[in-house]
Amino acid sequence: MTTIKDVARAAGFSVTTVSRALNGHDDVNPETRRRIREVAEKLGYSPNIAARTLVSKKSRTLGLLLSALTRSSVKDNIVFEMLCGMNDRAAELDYDLVLFNTTPQKQRQKSYKALCKERGVDGVIMMGMRLDDPYLEEMLHASIPCVLIDIPIERKKNIGYVMTDNVQGAMDAVNHLIALGHRHIGMINGHAQAAVSIRRLEGYRKALERHGIPFNERYVEDGAFREDGGKEAAFRLLTSCPELTAIFCASDLMALGALQAIRALGKRVPEDISIVGFDNIVAAQYCTPALTTVNQDKYQMGYLAAAVLIDMLEGRQVQRYRVMPAELIVRDSTGPVRGS
Amino acid sequence: MTTIKDVARAAGFSVTTVSRALNGHDDVNPETRRRIREVAEKLGYSPNIAARTLVSKKSRTLGLLLSALTRSSVKDNIVFEMLCGMNDRAAELDYDLVLFNTTPQKQRQKSYKALCKERGVDGVIMMGMRLDDPYLEEMLHASIPCVLIDIPIERKKNIGYVMTDNVQGAMDAVNHLIALGHRHIGMINGHAQAAVSIRRLEGYRKALERHGIPFNERYVEDGAFREDGGKEAAFRLLTSCPELTAIFCASDLMALGALQAIRALGKRVPEDISIVGFDNIVAAQYCTPALTTVNQDKYQMGYLAAAVLIDMLEGRQVQRYRVMPAELIVRDSTGPVRGS
DNA sequence: GCAGTTATCCGAAACGTTTCGGATGATCTG
DNA sequence: CAGATCATCCGAAACGTTTCGGATAACTGC
C-alpha cells in the first residue's frame, strides 16, 4: 500500500526525483539515489503496475493466445513444453505472461485488437492456431507485435515466427523408411488448416520423388492430429491399401492411434508395418514399441518465441524468422521391410 | 485507441453516463444506454484495463505461482492439466491468468506481497510449492486470497486449498497389493517437504496396519518425485531388502524409474515385483507394463482451484477446502505374489 | 400549489505513476 | 566577473477510468 508519495515524503524528496532515482535515470545525485533506495526498501515500496502501464503504455506483459490449451491437448505435452520455454525467457527479461482465455464464443464477441488493447499487452505469442482462425486475419491488421508458432507469415515488420524445419524432418523420416527397404509408404496427415501439415506432406513427397517412388494420393489420409483420428486413418489406409508396409504420421499422437489400429488388425510393428511419428512427445518413448519419430525442440521454440518477441518490443535488431532443425530419433517402431 | 471520452463526445453524453451505461448501472435511461452501446460498438471502444484497475483496485486477474513450471516437470503433465482446468474456469467467469515467473534468485529480491501488489492480481493460486518455500510463509501474512494445491492449510479466512484424498488413495493402492497376497511391500516416497508425501505415507502405514502387517522403516526410501530418484530408490530397496515383492510409489514418474531399475536387476514386472504408482500421468498407460496407479483428477483440481478462488473474491459463500476422491486404476504392473 | 420523490444526468476528484519543461545554485570559461 | 554550462531537483500535467455528491426537471400525493 505504500505509494511513491509515501517514499517521497519519507525521503524528503519530490515524487519526480523518487521516480527518476528508482528508475535509474541519471540526473539524480548518487547519494540521493542511495537514500531513496533505502527508504523505498524499508517501506516495502513496489510500484503499481496499473498506474505505470497507464502512463507509459508499456506493461512488460506478453499475451499468450493458445488455442490448444484444452483438455484434449494434455496428452501431447507440446504446448506445455513450449510454455516452459517462453516462461523461462520471459523471466530472464522480466516480463510476465498472461494467458488469454479465448473460446470460440468469446472470439465472436471480442476482436483480437480489443483483447490486446484491453489487457495492455505489449506483444502476443500465438500458437496452435488453425490457418482459418479469424484472429489470425485480425492480427495481420493490428499493430501489436506478434510471434507465431508454426505459422510462417512474412508479410509484416511486426510479425515473426518460430517453426521446425518440417520439410526436412518429414524427409528424414521417409528417407529412413526408404533406406529400410520400404516402397509402399502411407502417410497420416493432420488437417489442411495447419501449416505444418502442408510442410510435412511436402517433405514426404520430396523424399519419395528423390528415390523415384511415385506419389500415390490414395496413400494419404487425414487424422486431425488426434489419437482416434490416427487410428481411423490407419484402418482406412491398411484396409484399402494392403500393400503398405510403412506409415509416416504427422504427429506422435496419431502414430499412437495407428499403433492401436495395427494391433487390432492383428499385425505387428515393426515386423509387418513400420511406423514413424513426429514431435517426440513424452509417450513416444514409453509406448511399446517405442516410437521412431522426428524430434522438435519444443522448449527451445517457446524460448525463442519469447526471445524474438521481446527483442522486437525493445527495438533490438532481430532475426524475426526462426526455423529450428528437426532430428530423426530411431527407436523400435521401424524395421526392414518384410521379406527383404 | 478510442477512449471513453471519445464515446462520450460522439454520443453526446458525459463520461460519467457512458461509464455507468456501459457497466450496467441502473440510473441511466434505457434509450440512452442503447444509444451509448451503439456508439461504443461503432467506435470499437474497449475499456483500458490499467485505468480501470488503478481506480477500482480489481483487475479480474489471477496470479499463478507454479514452482513446477520448469523443464523437468514436462514429463508429468500434472501441472499442465491443472492449468487447463484453471484456464477453463477462469474463462467462464471472465478472469485472466498471469503466470508469475519466479526463480529462486528472484524470490530473494521480491517478496510475495510485492509480487502480487505490483501485478495487481486479485488472488493467487499456488502449486508445486515445497512446504519450506519462503513464499508460503509470506503468503500466510498477506491479505490476498489464495488457493493452494496440495497443501492443506486451514489457518486463515482468505486461504483455501484443493487436494486429492491422498491417504485414501495410498490405502487403496496398498490394499490392492495386499489383496494380491503381497506382504513385503516397499514404498518409494517423494520428499519430506511435500504434504502429499506425508499423506501417502500415512495411507501406506494405515493399510499395512489394518491387515496386521508391521511397518518396517527400512522399506521406505525417498525418490524426490523424479524418475532417476525412483530408479535409485528401487535399486537400494531391492538390494537391501530382497524379500520385497511389491513397491508402492508416491508418483508415476518414480514408478517409471523403478520399472527401469527392476528391469536392470533382471526381474520382471509383475511376475517378480508388483508396482503401483500415483497420479495417473499420460505415460502410465503407454509404458510396458501399463502402470497400475492411483488417479488424481488433475483437470478438476485446477478447475476447482480457480472456482474456489473466484468465489472467494466475489464474496460468495464457498466451501474453501476441497478434497477430491482418488481412484485406483488397475493395469498390468501388479499381479499375485509369486508362489501364491 | 407545494413539498417530497424519482429518474436521469453530470462535474470533478481520485487512483499512482511518468515525464515535460523548467528552476536553482554551483561551477566553469575566458 | 559576466555569461554559459552543468548537476540536481521539482511542479504540474497527463494517462483513462470509476464514483461521490450533487443538480435538474418531471412527476407524485394531498
Side-chain angles (χ1 to χ4, degrees):
Chain A
M1 301 293 156
T2 25
T3 75
I4 199 171
K5 282 182 196 164
D6 300 324
V7 177
R9 205 173 310 122
F13 290 95
S14 76
V15 166
T16 303
T17 303
V18 173
S19 174
R20 300 186 73 78
L22 260 21
N23 289 315
H25 293 236
D26 53 1
D27 62 344
V28 28
N29 188 298
E31 170 57 23
T32 305
R33 190 194 305 275
R34 200 195 53 70
R35 172 94 186 103
I36 288 177
R37 283 236 181 87
E38 187 180 292
V39 172
E41 171 80 15
K42 204 183 70 195
L43 264 47
Y45 168 74
S46 70
N48 179 309
I49 299 266
R52 172 179 287 177
T53 301
L54 184 59
V55 34
S56 72
K57 310 280 177 210
K58 302 276 174 210
S59 60
R60 292 193 85 82
T61 301
L62 271 29
L64 257 42
L65 224 45
L66 313 174
S67 82
L69 192 65
T70 61
R71 229 170 160 170
S72 64
S73 66
V74 159
K75 276 199 172 178
D76 63 51
N77 50 313
I78 300 175
V79 179
F80 186 59
E81 215 167 324
M82 289 182 175
L83 197 57
C84 291
M86 292 176 205
N87 189 56
D88 282 358
R89 185 55 181 163
E92 284 171 11
L93 300 175
D94 212 29
Y95 275 70
D96 274 318
L97 260 34
V98 11
L99 265 54
F100 284 150
N101 38 42
T102 48
T103 52
Q105 317 91 288
K106 283 205 178 175
Q107 272 201 40
R108 253 167 280 134
Q109 291 167 17
K110 197 172 288 182
S111 76
Y112 171 78
K113 274 186 214 173
L115 194 70
C116 297
K117 215 204 63 185
E118 272 192 21
R119 277 291 154 188
V121 298
D122 297 342
V124 174
I125 296 177
M126 275 194 182
M127 62 178 296
M129 294 257 149
R130 291 169 58 98
L131 294 174
D132 56 1
D133 191 296
Y135 273 172
L136 196 61
E137 182 63 22
E138 286 180 45
M139 185 273 294
L140 290 173
H141 300 293
S143 56
I144 306 129
C146 179
V147 170
L148 297 157
I149 290 187
D150 280 344
I151 302 183
I153 291 182
E154 309 198 347
R155 265 186 282 170
K156 290 187 66 188
K157 267 272 168 54
N158 58 352
I159 299 180
Y161 66 78
V162 176
M163 80 185 302
T164 297
D165 188 341
N166 290 291
V167 177
Q168 186 58 52
M171 279 183 68
D172 290 352
V174 178
N175 282 339
H176 165 65
L177 291 170
I178 293 173
L180 288 168
H182 296 276
R183 288 298 173 270
H184 300 285
I185 302 171
M187 171 168 182
I188 299 179
N189 209 347
H191 54 72
Q193 292 302 323
V196 295
S197 285
I198 298 167
R199 302 295 177 103
R200 290 172 197 173
L201 178 62
E202 186 185 336
Y204 165 80
R205 294 186 69 149
K206 274 196 178 162
L208 294 181
E209 190 180 320
R210 181 163 305 178
H211 292 85
I213 303 172
F215 171 72
N216 183 340
E217 66 176 19
R218 286 179 53 243
Y219 286 1
V220 181
E221 288 273 355
D222 275 359
F225 288 120
R226 293 203 318 269
E227 191 170 9
D228 57 350
K231 186 173 176 179
E232 288 161 21
F235 262 124
R236 288 196 298 272
L237 234 34
L238 293 174
T239 48
S240 67
C241 313
E243 69 275 22
L244 291 177
T245 62
I247 300 178
F248 164 54
C249 302
S251 84
D252 284 348
L253 212 50
M254 293 193 294
L256 291 175
L259 244 38
Q260 291 172 36
I262 294 167
R263 205 169 297 137
L265 289 169
K267 304 200 174 193
R268 291 158 308 161
V269 176
E271 292 82 355
D272 301 317
I273 307 280
S274 283
I275 292 285
V276 184
F278 209 108
D279 292 340
N280 192 26
I281 67 176
V282 172
Q285 65 178 295
Y286 288 106
C287 65
T288 305
L291 215 54
T292 292
T293 188
V294 179
N295 181 57
Q296 296 201 67
D297 194 340
K298 301 164 281 289
Y299 176 89
Q300 190 63 19
M301 288 173 78
Y303 187 91
L304 266 184
V308 170
L309 182 56
I310 297 174
D311 280 349
M312 280 166 48
L313 290 176
E314 299 188 346
R316 280 191 286 273
Q317 169 94 349
V318 217
Q319 202 188 324
R320 292 207 309 283
Y321 312 125
R322 301 295 188 93
V323 178
M324 311 273 304
E327 183 200 7
L328 181 71
I329 296 181
V330 178
R331 296 207 184 91
D332 311 328
S333 66
T334 48
V337 70
R338 60 187 167 215
S340 77
Chain B
M1 301 294 157
T2 28
T3 75
I4 198 170
K5 281 183 198 165
D6 300 324
V7 178
R9 205 173 309 122
F13 289 95
S14 75
V15 166
T16 304
T17 303
V18 173
S19 173
R20 301 185 72 79
L22 259 21
N23 289 315
H25 292 236
D26 52 3
D27 62 344
V28 27
N29 188 298
E31 171 56 23
T32 305
R33 190 192 307 273
R34 199 195 53 70
R35 173 94 187 101
I36 288 176
R37 283 236 180 87
E38 188 181 292
V39 172
E41 171 80 16
K42 203 184 71 196
L43 265 47
Y45 168 74
S46 70
N48 179 309
I49 298 267
R52 173 179 286 177
T53 300
L54 185 57
V55 35
S56 73
K57 310 284 178 207
K58 303 276 173 210
S59 60
R60 292 193 85 82
T61 300
L62 271 28
L64 257 41
L65 224 44
L66 312 174
S67 82
L69 192 64
T70 61
R71 229 170 160 170
S72 65
S73 66
V74 158
K75 275 200 173 178
D76 63 50
N77 51 314
I78 301 176
V79 178
F80 185 59
E81 216 167 325
M82 288 182 176
L83 198 58
C84 291
M86 291 176 207
N87 189 56
D88 282 358
R89 184 55 180 164
E92 285 171 10
L93 299 176
D94 213 30
Y95 276 70
D96 275 319
L97 262 30
V98 11
L99 293 164
F100 284 149
N101 38 42
T102 48
T103 51
Q105 317 90 289
K106 283 205 176 174
Q107 270 201 40
R108 253 167 281 132
Q109 290 167 18
K110 196 172 290 182
S111 76
Y112 171 79
K113 275 186 216 176
L115 194 71
C116 299
K117 214 203 62 184
E118 271 193 21
R119 276 292 154 189
V121 297
D122 297 341
V124 173
I125 296 177
M126 275 195 181
M127 61 178 296
M129 294 257 148
R130 291 169 58 98
L131 293 173
D132 55 0
D133 190 296
Y135 274 172
L136 196 61
E137 182 65 21
E138 286 180 46
M139 185 272 295
L140 290 173
H141 300 294
S143 57
I144 305 129
C146 179
V147 170
L148 298 158
I149 290 186
D150 281 344
I151 303 183
I153 290 182
E154 308 199 347
R155 265 186 281 170
K156 289 187 68 188
K157 266 273 169 54
N158 58 352
I159 299 179
Y161 66 78
V162 175
M163 82 184 301
T164 298
D165 189 341
N166 289 291
V167 177
Q168 185 60 51
M171 280 183 68
D172 288 352
V174 178
N175 283 338
H176 166 64
L177 292 170
I178 293 173
L180 287 169
H182 296 277
R183 289 298 175 270
H184 299 285
I185 302 171
M187 172 168 181
I188 298 178
N189 208 348
H191 54 70
Q193 292 303 323
V196 296
S197 285
I198 298 168
R199 301 295 178 103
R200 290 173 196 172
L201 179 61
E202 187 186 334
Y204 166 78
R205 294 186 69 148
K206 274 195 179 164
L208 295 180
E209 192 179 319
R210 181 163 304 179
H211 292 86
I213 302 171
F215 171 72
N216 182 341
E217 67 176 19
R218 286 178 55 243
Y219 285 2
V220 180
E221 287 272 356
D222 274 359
F225 288 120
R226 293 203 319 268
E227 191 169 9
D228 57 350
K231 185 172 177 181
E232 288 160 22
F235 263 124
R236 289 196 298 272
L237 234 33
L238 292 174
T239 48
S240 67
C241 313
E243 69 276 21
L244 290 177
T245 62
I247 300 178
F248 165 54
C249 302
S251 83
D252 283 348
L253 212 50
M254 294 193 295
L256 292 175
L259 244 38
Q260 290 173 38
I262 294 168
R263 204 170 298 138
L265 288 169
K267 304 201 176 193
R268 293 159 305 164
V269 176
E271 292 82 354
D272 301 317
I273 306 281
S274 283
I275 292 284
V276 184
F278 209 107
D279 292 339
N280 192 26
I281 66 177
V282 171
Q285 65 178 297
Y286 288 106
C287 64
T288 304
L291 215 53
T292 293
T293 189
V294 179
N295 182 58
Q296 297 200 66
D297 193 340
K298 301 164 279 290
Y299 175 89
Q300 190 63 21
M301 287 173 78
Y303 188 91
L304 266 183
V308 169
L309 182 56
I310 297 174
D311 280 349
M312 280 166 48
L313 290 176
E314 300 189 343
R316 281 191 285 274
Q317 170 92 351
V318 217
Q319 203 189 322
R320 293 207 308 283
Y321 312 125
R322 301 297 188 91
V323 177
M324 312 273 303
E327 183 199 8
L328 181 71
I329 296 182
V330 178
R331 296 206 184 93
D332 311 329
S333 66
T334 49
V337 69
R338 60 188 167 214
S340 77

